[in-house]
Amino acid sequence: MNFTIEQDERATIFRPKESRLDSLVAPELKAEFLILAQPDVEKLIIDLTDVDYIDSAGLSAFLLARRQQAEHEGDVRLVNPSPDVVSLLQLTQLDRAFPMYDTVEEALAAPSLSMSSVSPNGLKNLAGTAVASSAFAAAAYDFTLGDEEEDDDDDEDDELIELDEEFDGEDEDLEDEDDEDDAVEDTAEKKEADDDDDDDVELDDDDFDEDDDVVEDIEDFDDDYDDEEDEEPPVV
């Protein structure tokens, strides 16, 4: 953002060199106003000669500057606003909060506005109007910030919910993978148990085979013995 700053006794003149004061430059604009709106600055004059357009973000920066100035009974004055800017201020009723002048010299020469306000045509109104406009501006500023904070909170909540859902999904995937791993392990253990049973069966079969061999040996022995008994004894 391009701008110039000029000091004049207890007044600071801020001249933005941008045609648009919108959301793109509003953060830097607010930062500059926080720096400029110091207790020793009675009048913060914003020269809008080069500005053609202001959106709600730009107005929010102006309200921030006004609130900072009001803390030490200072004020914010606008110089040479374009017809579109004047229409916007009138539409939002902020023309009662920001006195407007044709030239910087007029803005410097005007008396302190702590107890009075100046309408767009340069006429001073009663102090009560200033008090009302201050309350309106503060309320508008707080309302705007409140909406922005609520929107930010809602966005953060939505992001947190999305993250939670993503984490829950990942946890479910991990749980599914764990279940699959457990199933694989169970299958492997069951297979090992089946293999052990098969080995036992094979061992039992081997034992049976060995028993059969023994039985056959006994039967052979019995047969041989019987044969020997059947043979006649030799004649002497």
Side-chain angles (χ1 to χ4, degrees):
M1 178 181 175
N2 298 316
F3 57 88
T4 63
I5 298 174
E6 180 182 343
Q7 300 291 338
D8 188 307
E9 294 182 357
R10 292 182 57 81
T12 296
I13 304 167
F14 180 80
R15 292 187 173 93
K17 299 298 182 180
E18 302 284 346
S19 61
R20 298 172 63 88
L21 299 182
D22 52 21
S23 58
L24 295 178
V25 300
E28 188 175 354
L29 189 61
K30 290 179 179 180
E32 289 299 326
F33 285 156
L34 287 174
I35 295 173
L36 296 176
Q38 298 299 316
D40 59 338
V41 177
E42 180 181 328
K43 306 170 185 176
L44 177 56
I45 299 172
I46 305 174
D47 187 351
L48 299 176
T49 300
D50 295 325
V51 177
D52 298 323
Y53 172 81
I54 299 177
D55 68 0
S56 59
L59 287 181
S60 177
F62 285 7
L63 287 169
L64 173 63
R66 189 182 191 283
R67 190 172 71 173
Q68 291 294 113
Q69 283 291 95
E71 289 181 358
H72 56 265
E73 297 185 355
D75 57 58
V76 177
R77 308 177 180 201
L78 307 182
V79 171
N80 196 24
S82 68
D84 288 340
V85 173
V86 172
S87 297
L88 177 63
L89 292 171
Q90 291 174 340
L91 179 65
T92 57
Q93 301 185 37
L94 292 178
D95 58 323
R96 297 182 299 169
F98 297 101
M100 291 175 274
Y101 304 88
D102 292 332
T103 65
V104 172
E105 288 73 18
E106 290 181 6
L108 287 171
S112 174
L113 302 177
S114 59
M115 292 301 293
S116 63
S117 73
V118 179
S119 62
N121 60 8
L123 297 177
K124 287 187 293 183
N125 299 322
L126 297 177
T129 304
V131 174
S133 64
S134 297
F136 175 82
Y141 175 68
D142 292 338
F143 179 77
T144 301
L145 285 185
D147 286 344
E148 291 177 354
E149 290 175 355
E150 288 180 1
D151 292 340
D152 291 340
D153 291 341
D154 291 340
D155 292 339
E156 291 177 358
D157 290 340
D158 292 339
E159 292 176 359
L160 289 175
I161 291 172
E162 291 176 0
L163 287 175
D164 288 339
E165 291 175 351
E166 291 178 3
F167 283 131
D168 291 339
E170 292 177 358
D171 289 340
E172 290 176 358
D173 293 338
L174 290 174
E175 289 177 358
D176 293 339
E177 292 177 0
D178 291 339
D179 292 339
E180 292 176 359
D181 292 339
D182 292 340
V184 171
E185 290 178 359
D186 292 340
T187 303
E189 291 176 356
K190 184 177 180 181
K191 187 175 183 304
E192 290 178 359
D194 292 340
D195 291 340
D196 292 338
D197 292 339
D198 293 339
D199 292 339
D200 293 338
V201 170
E202 290 177 0
L203 289 174
D204 292 340
D205 290 341
D206 292 339
D207 293 338
F208 284 130
D209 292 339
E210 292 176 357
D211 291 340
D212 291 340
D213 292 339
V214 172
V215 171
E216 289 177 359
D217 291 339
I218 293 173
E219 289 176 352
D220 292 339
F221 178 77
D222 289 338
D223 291 338
D224 293 339
Y225 184 76
D226 292 337
D227 291 338
E228 291 178 357
E229 287 184 347
D230 292 337
E231 289 180 0
E232 295 180 359
V235 178
V236 178

